[in-house]
């Protein structure tokens, strides 16, 4: 089984990268790849509760993050420094995540076969 880590670095509504990253995660997990997710920089904004992307004419894919446990995507890491920069706390996020120091995220990268950054 291949281990894949998908890194979300872009905000949710400025480009299609967040949707593409989520689609890749779900597709890979459906083919029995071990998938983990890392959210850093503005990528953290993908996880915010109470988003209404339809108000700006964007498609709502954020609700699809709720399907991750059904695909056995259980490892979801969030950069602690990015949380501080964006003044966010865990209660602001839609999913249960593990908040990590950047060095722990770097260590995680060394334990997977591929890291894909979106």
């Amino acid at each position: 089984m291949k281990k894949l880590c998908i890194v979300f670095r872009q905000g949710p509504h400025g480009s299609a990268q967040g949707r593409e990253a989520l689609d890749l995660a779900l597709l890979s997990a459906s083919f029995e790849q071990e998938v983990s997710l890392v959210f850093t920089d503005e990528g953290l904004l993908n996880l915010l509760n109470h988003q209404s992307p339809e108000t700006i004419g964007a498609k709502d894919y954020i609700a699809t993050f709720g399907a991750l446990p059904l695909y056995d995507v259980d490892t979801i890491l969030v950069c602690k420094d990015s949380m501080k920069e964006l003044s966010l706390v865990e209660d602001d996020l839609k999913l249960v995540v593990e908040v990590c120091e950047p060095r722990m995220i770097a260590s995680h990268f060394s334990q997977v076969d591929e890291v894909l950054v979106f």
Side-chain angles (χ1 to χ4, degrees), residues 36-52:
S36 59
L37 306 180
V38 171
F39 292 85
T40 185
D41 302 322
E42 290 185 3
L44 263 167
L45 301 175
N46 285 283
L47 297 178
L48 287 180
N49 282 321
H50 314 298
Q51 294 189 48
S52 301

Side-chain angles (χ1 to χ4, degrees), residues 6-108:
I6 299 173
V7 180
F8 290 75
R9 293 196 68 206
Q10 303 294 319
H13 306 301
S15 72
Q17 290 186 350
R19 176 65 198 197
E20 292 170 354
L22 181 58
D23 287 346
L24 177 62
L26 296 175
L27 181 65
S28 299
S30 70
F31 283 98
E32 299 186 14
Q33 305 288 317
E34 186 176 318
V35 177
S36 59
L37 306 180
V38 171
F39 292 85
T40 185
D41 302 322
E42 290 185 3
L44 263 167
L45 301 175
N46 285 283
L47 297 178
L48 287 180
N49 282 321
H50 314 298
Q51 294 189 48
S52 301
E54 62 279 351
T55 60
I56 59 169
K59 198 166 191 171
D60 184 8
Y61 70 91
I62 303 300
T64 309
F65 280 102
L68 290 169
L70 300 173
Y71 288 82
D72 294 327
V73 178
D74 299 322
T75 302
I76 302 172
L77 308 178
V78 169
C79 177
K80 186 175 185 177
D81 289 355
S82 297
M83 293 270 294
K84 281 185 189 173
E85 288 174 17
L86 295 170
S87 301
L88 297 174
V89 295
E90 287 186 61
D91 288 342
D92 295 326
L93 305 179
K94 183 177 188 70
L95 302 175
V96 175
V97 299
E98 182 179 349
V99 179
C100 300
E101 298 285 340
R103 64 180 166 72
M104 292 175 63
I105 292 173
S107 175
H108 179 71

